[in-house]
Amino acid sequence: MRFKGVERLHAKKGDRRLNSDTIKKGIDRAPHRSLLKALGLTDREIAKPFIGVVNSFTELVPGHMHLRQIAEAVKVGIRENGGTPFEFSTVAVCDGLAMGHDGMHFSLASRELIADSIEVMAKGHQLDALVLIPSCDKIVPGMIMAAMRLNLPAIVVSGGPMLPGRFEGKAVSLSTVFEGVGKVHAKLEDEAWLASLEMKACPTAGSCAGMFTANSMNCLTEALGLALPGNGTVPAVYSERLVLAKETGYQVMNLYRENIRPRDIVTEKAIKNGIALDMALGCSTNTILHLPAIAQEGDIAWNLAMVNDVSERTPQVCKLSPAGAHHLSDLYEAGGVSAVLHQLLEADRFDGEVMTVSGVTQAKRLRTAKVMDASVIRPLTAPYSGRGGLKILFGDLAPEGAVIKQGALTDQGLVFEGKAKVFDGEVEVTRAIENGEIQAGDVLVIRYEGPKGGPGMREMLGPTSMLAGMGLDASVALLTDGRFSGASRGLSIGHVSPEAALGGPIAYVHPGDMIRIDLAKGRLDWLISEEEKEQRRTQTKLKVTRRDGYLGRYAQIVQSASRGAAFRSSGEA
């Protein structure tokens, strides 16, 4: 299982070696052993490696309902292979429940708290290795960031995806309900219909059933090499998920014994592999916030333009909800992430020489994978699109970039030009949509929702899904320095950088300004004269949002969305 020829990266950031012997061996550690025995541990258990089991369980998140059972299965595997597990938790925000109100300011911001809390627990107790059990939204990247920062032997096993519901003879999920709200506002359906839909849309535990942020990131753990095959797609309620959890607990002990660490696995090549899978699956735009933050924790180079380079040579072979009719359970039945990666590997769109937590290279791990349903995972010769699911746009309105889920559009060569309607925040635009003030051809500019200006870069599924429910998602464009949900679809462009609060061009757009979106050229442009732009910069006073508590501290040290909205490193200006 030893990785031959792998350059050891342990001298880099985060490599202060932890070892549980520090707190349990020698006469000076008798008080520490006394406390461990107060936990009911035997001398045999104390002598074994201490393995942190980071369980994100809360009673507020439906994706977490079963995580106690997953954690118990992980602990069985750890004990079976010679370790002593210690379970602890993190904060966890359900984006669905936080959507559309003040709570959404805390969702992305919680990612840094998650990484920090794991660091505190692992270093405070000198743990030897970690098993990370995320399920929803920002928890997955937060845990991976911690793994890269600490560089302890670590492995991920998520709670798995929710099964879709059935309503009026069709598969439905959470995004269907959000779009249903738009239908009611448009008087296409009534509230009784919506009440029936909400009872059926989320039928089981697990991460919401489409290719939304949590499922996107859980699938990417397989491409990055940090999870065993199946982590992204085995449904939450299947017993196979418990087997996977036991195998994950067992495997972390092998990683510990061989001293194999996250930075041996997640390299620049592995990050590019993650982007390739992202493009092939048509993942959430939020992955383009999380991958650079993960890269930063591992001291890995990141350039946003790299996403376009990978996208141009990676066909989109899956079209999962909300872009298409299939859900994560369909991808599972079709062969899962491994089947998609096998196709990419065969076509030289994926690096098979990078290593994985399985103890073998990606090429060896994927050699038996195959597609079981070509209607769900199309061949590369007949993809949904010859380009990947995401596109980074640059231009004078987004000098540092913006992102769109082009795989959710029918026309990837689209040129859209329209007049701006400008809103300082999500609340204003939602009210305008509800009041019928938006028409086909409008470009809705939603600003002061960025990492610093929000603060917290709120996810705006409400406006996008309402427009989709009204049938306007293809004829109205939305631009924001905030972000959209993985469940969003349509002409929704997020992460416009620099953000308004930092004096980005989006701060100076006026109602009626012409804006052009050119997908083929990857451009997002503001069609007014340079003289007018300069005049507005000198005459416009930027809006300042002041927050107390954590959000106030967050706003002071968070970076641009183009850098993953990660915190500045210590000492960085």
Side-chain angles (χ1 to χ4, degrees):
M1 180 175 160
R2 186 173 297 280
F3 295 175
K4 296 180 180 179
V6 177
E7 179 188 357
R8 292 294 170 192
L9 303 175
H10 301 148
K12 291 188 176 181
K13 173 185 172 187
D15 185 50
R16 184 175 176 274
R17 294 296 182 93
L18 306 182
N19 190 308
S20 61
D21 285 352
T22 304
I23 64 170
K24 66 188 183 187
K25 285 200 172 179
I27 59 172
D28 292 338
R29 294 297 181 249
H32 302 68
R33 290 192 297 273
S34 180
L35 289 169
L36 291 170
K37 289 176 180 179
L39 293 171
L41 296 181
T42 66
D43 286 332
R44 292 186 303 276
E45 289 173 308
I46 293 172
K48 294 175 182 178
F50 285 2
I51 312 301
V53 177
V54 192
N55 183 4
S56 60
F57 171 80
T58 78
E59 291 185 341
L60 278 165
V61 184
H64 296 181
M65 284 176 61
H66 61 313
L67 290 193
R68 285 171 169 162
Q69 193 175 16
I70 296 292
E72 289 304 316
V74 166
K75 288 187 273 188
V76 167
I78 291 170
R79 292 189 182 102
E80 186 180 3
N81 201 10
T84 297
F86 292 88
E87 182 180 345
F88 61 92
S89 188
T90 67
V91 298
V93 174
C94 173
D95 273 29
L97 291 174
M99 195 75 64
H101 56 82
D102 194 59
M104 183 46 72
H105 288 289
F106 292 87
S107 174
L108 181 63
S110 73
R111 187 187 68 181
E112 319 308 309
L113 285 176
I114 291 163
D116 289 350
S117 65
I118 295 170
E119 178 188 12
V120 167
M121 291 296 288
K123 286 189 173 181
H125 301 96
Q126 297 287 288
L127 300 178
D128 295 301
L130 298 170
V131 177
L132 306 166
I133 309 177
S135 188
C136 296
D137 295 294
K138 311 311 165 288
I139 307 162
V140 191
M143 287 190 172
I144 298 173
M145 288 164 64
M148 296 297 287
R149 184 187 304 174
L150 289 162
N151 206 27
L152 289 170
I155 188 169
V156 177
V157 59
S158 73
M162 183 184 289
L163 294 178
R166 297 288 299 179
F167 181 69
E168 295 182 338
K170 297 178 181 178
V172 293
S173 66
L174 181 66
S175 63
T176 317
V177 186
F178 274 98
E179 293 181 11
V181 173
K183 290 183 178 182
V184 173
H185 279 294
K187 314 247 184 264
L188 300 174
E189 297 289 353
D190 59 24
E191 291 187 44
W193 173 88
L194 185 62
S196 297
L197 171 60
E198 72 184 51
M199 283 294 296
K200 300 292 185 180
C202 300
T204 72
S207 303
C208 296
M211 188 52 80
F212 313 141
T213 303
N215 289 326
S216 295
M217 289 305 302
N218 280 322
C219 287
L220 261 58
T221 60
E222 295 189 44
L224 294 174
L226 280 179
L228 297 178
N231 181 60
T233 59
V234 175
V237 294
Y238 283 16
S239 296
E240 186 180 346
R241 177 62 57 177
L242 296 177
V243 174
L244 181 66
K246 290 178 182 177
E247 293 295 343
T248 297
Y250 192 93
Q251 185 62 12
V252 78
M253 296 307 302
N254 293 333
L255 297 174
Y256 166 75
R257 292 189 183 101
E258 294 293 330
N259 195 27
I260 297 164
R261 300 177 179 233
R263 295 190 192 181
D264 297 321
I265 295 168
V266 183
T267 61
E268 186 173 348
K269 290 180 179 178
I271 291 284
K272 288 182 178 178
N273 278 348
I275 297 171
L277 178 67
D278 196 332
M279 299 304 113
L281 292 179
C283 289
S284 165
T285 53
N286 284 309
T287 59
I288 306 305
L289 285 175
H290 303 320
L291 286 174
I294 291 166
Q296 176 176 298
E297 292 290 353
D299 291 332
I300 299 169
W302 173 268
N303 183 337
L304 194 58
M306 173 174 60
V307 175
N308 282 345
D309 294 339
V310 176
S311 182
E312 283 299 310
R313 59 186 180 84
T314 309
Q316 183 178 350
V317 296
C318 295
K319 205 158 192 174
L320 302 167
S321 174
H326 298 130
H327 293 79
L328 265 290
S329 54
D330 298 307
L331 179 58
Y332 163 74
E333 297 289 350
V337 169
S338 290
V340 177
L341 295 182
H342 181 78
Q343 286 198 157
L344 296 178
L345 180 64
E346 290 289 295
D348 198 26
R349 306 294 204 279
F350 187 84
D351 191 326
E353 296 308 305
V354 296
M355 306 308 292
T356 72
V357 291
S358 298
V360 297
T361 64
Q362 287 279 13
K364 289 183 179 179
R365 190 161 90 162
L366 297 170
R367 64 188 169 192
T368 60
K370 59 182 179 179
V371 174
M372 307 300 292
D373 186 343
S375 70
V376 177
I377 305 173
R378 288 190 176 181
L380 266 65
T381 53
Y384 285 99
S385 168
R387 299 185 182 93
L390 300 182
K391 179 95 171 185
I392 306 301
L393 307 178
F394 295 95
D396 56 15
L397 194 54
E400 294 180 6
V403 63
I404 185 170
K405 196 171 186 177
Q406 67 176 355
L409 301 172
T410 55
D411 180 7
Q412 292 192 4
L414 177 73
V415 176
F416 187 99
E417 192 171 305
K419 290 184 179 180
K421 289 188 175 177
V422 182
F423 305 90
D424 287 350
E426 179 187 10
V427 174
E428 289 185 14
V429 74
T430 300
R431 187 180 301 119
I433 295 170
E434 290 175 348
N435 292 339
E437 299 171 16
I438 308 303
Q439 291 85 39
D442 288 342
V443 178
L444 310 187
V445 177
I446 312 167
R447 62 192 179 193
Y448 292 105
E449 290 286 6
K452 180 180 180 67
M457 207 175 183
R458 282 194 290 187
E459 188 172 270
M460 288 175 276
L461 177 56
T464 59
S465 55
M466 286 174 66
L467 289 173
M470 294 174 174
L472 292 172
D473 55 304
S475 58
V476 171
L478 289 89
L479 316 179
T480 184
D481 54 7
R483 62 193 178 91
F484 294 111
S485 167
S488 296
R489 60 188 175 96
L491 201 52
S492 303
I493 299 171
H495 313 181
V496 174
S497 300
E499 62 175 291
L502 292 175
I506 194 172
Y508 309 110
V509 176
H510 284 188
D513 288 354
M514 293 300 295
I515 292 173
R516 177 190 292 241
I517 302 159
D518 189 328
L519 281 184
K521 293 181 178 179
R523 297 287 303 181
L524 178 59
D525 289 310
W526 182 23
L527 306 182
I528 68 170
S529 69
E530 291 301 319
E531 292 79 10
E532 178 67 18
K533 291 174 187 175
E534 184 57 33
Q535 185 178 15
R536 291 190 191 175
R537 288 188 185 98
T538 59
Q539 295 178 351
T540 304
K541 185 176 181 180
L542 298 180
K543 178 181 175 182
V544 178
T545 302
R546 300 199 183 279
R547 285 277 189 158
D548 295 326
Y550 175 59
L551 284 180
R553 297 193 298 275
Y554 177 89
Q556 292 176 17
I557 56 177
V558 70
Q559 299 180 103
S560 169
S562 63
R563 301 181 70 179
F567 282 171
R568 295 193 300 270
S569 299
S570 298
E572 187 176 351

